[in-house]
Amino acid sequence: MALLIQNGEIVTADSRYVADIWCENETITAIGKNLPVPQDAHVIDARGKLVFPGFVDPHTHIYLYAMGTYAKDTYETGTIAALCGGTTTLIDFVNPQRQEGSLEALEKWRQQTVNPCCDYTCHMTVSHLDAQIENELREVVLQHGITSFKIFFAYKDFLGMNDGDIYKTLLLAKELGVVTAAHCENAHIIDIRQQQFVDDKKLTTEYHHHSRPPILEAEGTHRLCVMSELIGGEVYVVHLSCEEALQKVIAAKMRGVNIHAETLIQYLLLDKSHAELPNFEGAKYIMSPPLRDKKNQKILWNALHQGFLATVATDHAPFDWQQRQMGKENFCNIPNGIPSLEDRIRLLYTHGVNTGKIDIHRFVDVASTRAAKIFGLFPRKGTIQVGCDADLVIYDPHVEETISANTHHMNIDYSVFEGIKVKGRCHAVTVRGHVQVRDGQFTGQKGIGKFLKRQPRSH
Ligand code: URP
Ligand code: ZN
Ligand code: ZN
Ligand code: ZN
């Protein structure tokens, strides 16, 4: 059905004005003042509200296996939670195990993408490389339209690769015109430090961050920069958490390295003291890289404002409270990751825009436009103009709500943001013109989310 959104204040990464938006056949077909109102159109009154392009989360794990267990959201619960929080496109990961082919893992992942309610795509993790995998990766890019790779400097015995194979992956990525995302931490040293803590019976949650200090993230980030500088390909640092790593990114940018960096909403608002909470409460806050000293937050906000950081993602990794118990006796066994897919936009708006740390256009850029550009989804996603997908967030900035596990839609029995007040609520959210959310609640159609095929960069 055709949809008319009237009198909203449209805010994109570079413009702000009041107008009506007309959506037909899943796209935006007209923007203007006082557009005619056809009789059968669905009309949303957006007066007094902000209209943002649908938000893009470039780093989420819906189907995630780690430490012998699977994260709890399904495509249905995860995409509903995303939408209720204003995210209309998410990028997940296909993580082939070392013995598994890329195509086999892709097929397994596809079987999980049941009843998606928002649009989605994935990054293809490269966890080992040989001639067979190289052929499969070409097919992944050229036939399946997955135009971003993921590599891990971290997780030595799981998804991590050695420097030689990472270098070869970056060469292949450059040849194919795809961007490579990287988890930058020094796996070998972390492994030894963890073993030392275990030997010394230092097993509580705070030793997680002691085992992976900022300089090990900086070192991994620098290694990525060096390889990228030699090769000339395009790289993307995921979940950058600290000043030390940021400095490596800025220095590399100055040398002309084609590098983007992402931070997470968790690093902007939470710090290592949360992971140090007693009685295993800290287990809710275990992720890698770890939450850092609070002094980093101001630096990360400034870097967002200045444009040194490109995006704010969630790295949503929904392991529930029972799964966290796996590490009760030893922090090394806590499944890593902090669920946050639903909360990113409202937290970023409240703590970024409302406090003046970033302006409203930067907000749209770091939460939508920039990720769409880097990952080959722009201008279909990431902005509001004639011809793009009708993915819109009609945001009521006056409503105040409190985040709680009792009311969120993520399939998780706690919230690391429990009790935090946020300004604003999604009055309505559309995906290609389908109204999926009203007043913060999912009211739409399950299964309408589409896999987004992308094109590699042309040389
Ligand atoms: O702790 C985290 N970040 N878990 C999810 C997997 C990853 O490293 O991104
Ligand atoms: Zn990671
Ligand atoms: Zn991740
Ligand atoms: Zn409302």
Side-chain angles (χ1 to χ4, degrees), residues 181-215:
H183 178 141
C184 301
E185 285 184 297
N186 187 309
H188 297 269
I189 298 177
I190 289 168
D191 201 51
I192 293 167
R193 290 174 69 84
Q194 290 192 338
Q195 195 50 55
Q196 277 170 350
F197 286 133
V198 171
D199 292 346
D200 296 345
K201 306 261 182 308
K202 293 177 170 167
L203 300 168
T204 49
T205 54
E206 77 226 57
Y207 290 101
H208 176 74
H209 72 71
H210 291 305
S211 74
R212 31 202 342 138
I215 47 170

Side-chain angles (χ1 to χ4, degrees), residues 58-240:
H59 186 166
T60 68
H61 301 275
I62 305 292
Y63 178 51
L64 175 64
Y65 171 82
M67 297 183 177
T69 190
Y70 290 89
K72 287 290 174 178
D73 270 318
T74 61
Y75 258 74
E76 187 175 314
T77 63
T79 54
I80 286 175
L83 284 167
C84 291
T87 293
T88 54
T89 296
L90 56 83
I91 313 186
D92 196 5
F93 291 81
V94 174
N95 288 339
Q97 305 302 299
R98 290 229 177 91
Q99 70 286 358
E100 211 175 22
S102 317
L103 293 170
E104 185 188 347
L106 176 59
E107 185 46 40
K108 233 190 212 171
W109 174 80
R110 277 196 197 282
Q111 284 169 16
Q112 300 298 320
T113 59
V114 178
N115 268 350
C117 305
C118 71
D119 287 354
Y120 62 97
T121 177
C122 61
H123 307 290
M124 174 55 73
T125 295
V126 184
S127 60
H128 65 302
L129 193 64
D130 55 28
Q132 166 74 17
I133 295 292
E134 192 174 317
N135 282 336
E136 292 195 15
L137 288 170
R138 287 177 197 282
E139 189 175 329
V140 163
V141 173
L142 300 170
Q143 316 296 328
H144 296 273
I146 296 166
T147 61
S148 42
F149 293 160
K150 171 73 180 294
I151 51 167
F152 289 86
F153 287 86
Y155 307 140
K156 189 166 89 50
D157 300 319
F158 177 38
L159 296 166
M161 275 200 301
N162 66 45
D163 284 359
D165 285 345
I166 289 178
Y167 188 79
K168 286 188 214 158
T169 303
L170 292 173
L171 282 170
L172 179 66
K174 172 156 190 230
E175 181 205 317
L176 293 173
V178 309
V179 55
T180 304
H183 178 141
C184 301
E185 285 184 297
N186 187 309
H188 297 269
I189 298 177
I190 289 168
D191 201 51
I192 293 167
R193 290 174 69 84
Q194 290 192 338
Q195 195 50 55
Q196 277 170 350
F197 286 133
V198 171
D199 292 346
D200 296 345
K201 306 261 182 308
K202 293 177 170 167
L203 300 168
T204 49
T205 54
E206 77 226 57
Y207 290 101
H208 176 74
H209 72 71
H210 291 305
S211 74
R212 31 202 342 138
I215 47 170
L216 293 184
E217 185 185 338
E219 189 280 327
T221 307
H222 180 62
R223 220 168 343 135
L224 176 73
C225 294
V226 169
M227 291 190 200
S228 181
E229 185 168 4
L230 288 169
I231 292 167
E234 186 174 0
V235 291
Y236 179 90
V237 177
V238 295
H239 50 39
L240 187 145

Side-chain angles (χ1 to χ4, degrees), residues 255-266:
R255 302 197 302 277
V257 177
N258 193 359
I259 187 168
H260 316 278
E262 158 198 287
T263 193
L264 307 180
I265 192 67
Q266 294 92 317

Side-chain angles (χ1 to χ4, degrees), residues 3 21-31 385-388 390:
L3 172 69
I21 303 174
W22 177 247
C23 311
E24 224 175 333
N25 298 324
E26 307 210 323
T27 58
I28 295 173
T29 50
I31 301 174
Q385 63 191 37
V386 170
C388 54

Side-chain angles (χ1 to χ4, degrees), residues 246-289:
L246 177 67
Q247 281 173 347
K248 300 298 180 190
V249 169
I250 294 172
K253 282 179 180 286
M254 296 308 172
R255 302 197 302 277
V257 177
N258 193 359
I259 187 168
H260 316 278
E262 158 198 287
T263 193
L264 307 180
I265 192 67
Q266 294 92 317
Y267 298 134
L268 292 166
L269 299 176
L270 305 171
D271 64 80
K272 68 180 183 183
S273 68
H274 292 95
E276 293 170 346
L277 289 170
N279 305 322
F280 201 57
E281 184 69 13
K284 291 176 189 165
Y285 302 87
I286 295 300
M287 64 175 304
S288 299

